[in-house]
Amino acid sequence: MMKIKTFVILGIIVSFCFLYSCDNVGKSKENEIDKSDEKQEETVTEELQMPEDTLTVFEHLQERGVLVAVTNCSDINYNMYNNHPSGFEYELLKDFCDTYDLKLEMIVNDNMDSCFRLLDSKRVDVLATGVGLTKQLKKKYLLSNPIFTQKSVLVQRMPKDWGSMSTKNEIESQLLRSPLDLAGKTVHVTKGLHSAKVLEHLSEEIGDTIYVVECDTLNPVELMRLVNEGQIDYTVVDEYIARMASYNLNSVDTKLAISLEQPIGWAIKQQNNDTSLLKALNDWIDNAEQKHLRKVMLRYVKNGKYISSRREESNKRLSSFDNSIKKTAKKIGWDWRLLAALIYQESRFKVDLESEKGAFGLMQLMPSVMKRYGIDYDSSVEEQLDAGGKLISYLDKSLKNKVVDSLERVKFILAAYNAGLGHVYDAQRLAQKYGKAPDLWDDNVDYYILNKSKYLNDTCCKSGFLRGTQTYRFVEEIMDRYHHYQALLD
């Protein structure tokens, strides 16, 4: 009996201990859960109390200190020469970054679809490839103010043996000179650029098919090279690209514009209606003078690959007439490279070239001028240059009292060479009447040359109608080429 009672008592004690233990474990777990809940509540409270991110996209970028941009790798947009970056888009981006004390990181991609994907994924801040600011893109991206406006131009190969043709008419007759001429033609363009849309719109306008081939990996400059080499017939590029690239391509024509002026800028990803980066870019663009942008183009050309390849090809020669040009330039007190730039603009160094209006030779002198200075169609190179030099000296003397600065006067002389002194005098009178400087060309007299047709009824205009665009571009292109020749033959 004693054993049984002992076992019973022990069993009761063990059961009591077990129950007590389980109860404590349960309470311990409850306490742990309560504490865990308290911690979670504290964490949530802390998160709710954390300050909101009030920094804008641009402020975050400034905090990071780096702007990441994507562009195409080409001799125009971006390239590396002797381990030094250069290119039009690069120079502009660098100027923007310097303005805001940012470092610039460049990503290169020749496929436009990939460029936009990089922008969509936020791997880059800006897509800088000279984007056409179209309505379609505005629906998805923030687009900057125009950096400049450009037409799209057709790039076509010059006729076979065009260098031996004696007249401009013979050359012109074998080139496309109207958008209507593109009916049934095949045109290669860079995929993702607005060139394809331009051609699509043009195809609808002319009521005929233009066959467009979009290239994934070839940028506009590479397509221009293929035209130059005869591998494709046509491409369409922005006018500024055509102008710069054609310095190094001797067998392409880029005169046919196939669109109206179109604004060109950069694209940014839309982020929660935050336009801070866009505002910073636009502030910079609006404060950048157009003249500065042209200088950036020229600075790029001086630093880029064109200079190296052109120097090797030319062996520091511009033409076979360099020595004769130097002699004439010395007589009239001009830099020979400036005179060479004028001659290239007029004749591309073709001795026997004759225009439909009768202008002849290296310097495209009109018959009345040739007669005045005693030359004819059989005159030698030296005689042609001498007559052209005398005409320049006459224009210089006529303008000397009106434009005292000799360097500034060069632009007025070029305008008079193209349009005649009377139209230049008209533009100077208009400038003075409407509050501009009559002895400064850029942003002063050049405006009234460009827009002279609007002032035909003004009493300042005594020389009649002038298609000012031609004269304006004549001066601009010669000065651009002159600066290029300076860099080439420094």
Side-chain angles (χ1 to χ4, degrees), residues 382-416:
E382 288 73 18
E383 290 170 330
Q384 289 184 30
L385 292 172
D386 186 62
K390 287 176 179 176
L391 174 59
I392 290 171
S393 294
Y394 164 74
L395 298 174
D396 185 46
K397 184 177 180 181
S398 301
L399 288 160
K400 197 167 188 176
N401 292 331
K402 294 178 178 292
V403 185
V404 176
D405 187 295
S406 60
L407 295 177
E408 191 69 26
R409 193 162 62 246
V410 163
K411 299 169 189 175
F412 288 80
I413 293 169
L414 293 174

Side-chain angles (χ1 to χ4, degrees), residues 255-431:
K255 292 180 181 177
L256 177 59
I258 63 167
S259 76
L260 299 174
E261 293 274 345
Q262 182 179 31
I264 302 295
W266 295 336
I268 305 164
K269 183 175 173 58
Q270 294 195 35
Q271 299 185 53
N272 301 323
N273 297 318
D274 187 325
T275 60
S276 57
L277 175 54
L278 179 67
K279 183 179 183 304
L281 278 171
N282 285 342
D283 287 345
W284 171 79
I285 290 169
D286 292 343
N287 289 326
E289 298 179 3
Q290 288 300 309
K291 193 187 302 183
H292 168 70
L293 297 181
R294 289 201 297 271
K295 286 180 180 178
V296 171
M297 287 188 195
L298 292 171
R299 184 164 66 246
Y300 145 65
V301 173
K302 289 177 184 178
N303 290 334
K305 292 180 181 177
Y306 286 120
I307 296 304
S308 175
S309 59
R310 188 67 179 266
R311 181 181 288 120
E312 290 168 3
E313 290 172 8
S314 65
N315 193 27
K316 296 195 175 183
R317 287 176 63 84
L318 298 177
S319 73
S320 57
F321 314 117
D322 285 5
N323 289 335
S324 298
I325 294 172
K326 288 176 183 178
K327 289 177 182 177
T328 301
K330 188 174 181 179
K331 288 179 184 177
I332 64 175
W334 269 27
D335 184 329
W336 79 274
R337 294 166 296 187
L338 174 59
L339 183 58
L342 168 60
I343 293 169
Y344 180 89
Q345 184 77 16
E346 288 286 13
S347 66
R348 296 201 175 192
F349 302 118
K350 288 172 63 64
V351 178
D352 300 321
L353 187 66
E354 183 178 358
S355 77
E356 57 189 16
K357 293 181 179 180
F360 178 76
L362 283 173
M363 301 190 69
Q364 287 294 280
L365 301 175
M366 294 297 290
S368 59
V369 176
M370 293 168 63
K371 185 177 180 180
R372 185 194 312 169
Y373 296 116
I375 67 168
D376 56 29
Y377 295 96
D378 295 321
S379 295
S380 66
V381 167
E382 288 73 18
E383 290 170 330
Q384 289 184 30
L385 292 172
D386 186 62
K390 287 176 179 176
L391 174 59
I392 290 171
S393 294
Y394 164 74
L395 298 174
D396 185 46
K397 184 177 180 181
S398 301
L399 288 160
K400 197 167 188 176
N401 292 331
K402 294 178 178 292
V403 185
V404 176
D405 187 295
S406 60
L407 295 177
E408 191 69 26
R409 193 162 62 246
V410 163
K411 299 169 189 175
F412 288 80
I413 293 169
L414 293 174
Y417 193 98
N418 179 259
L421 275 170
H423 291 297
V424 174
Y425 290 157
D426 285 355
Q428 286 184 296
R429 283 190 287 266
L430 287 167

Side-chain angles (χ1 to χ4, degrees), residues 32-96:
E32 286 178 9
I33 291 170
D34 289 342
K35 288 178 180 178
S36 175
D37 289 342
E38 287 175 8
K39 285 181 179 179
Q40 287 179 7
E41 287 176 7
E42 288 175 4
T43 302
V44 171
T45 303
E46 285 176 5
E47 287 177 355
L48 290 173
Q49 292 176 349
M50 284 180 66
E52 293 183 5
D53 184 2
T54 58
L55 294 180
T56 65
V57 168
F58 186 58
E59 286 171 338
H60 275 296
L61 193 150
Q62 287 181 303
E63 196 175 63
R64 190 175 76 207
V66 178
L67 176 80
V68 184
V70 61
T71 192
N72 300 143
C73 181
S74 74
D75 291 341
I76 299 297
N77 292 340
Y78 178 75
N79 65 76
M80 294 291 291
Y81 180 62
N82 288 341
N83 295 321
H84 293 290
S86 64
F88 180 60
E89 306 288 0
Y90 169 79
E91 294 283 356
L92 295 182
L93 287 165
K94 186 69 169 62
D95 191 72
F96 170 75

Side-chain angles (χ1 to χ4, degrees), residues 20 24 38 63 127 186 197 219 283 300 337 459 475 489:
Y20 180 80
N24 280 345
E38 287 175 8
E63 196 175 63
L127 192 162
T186 298
K197 287 291 182 185
N219 62 50
D283 287 345
Y300 145 65
R337 294 166 296 187
T459 55
V475 176
L489 302 172

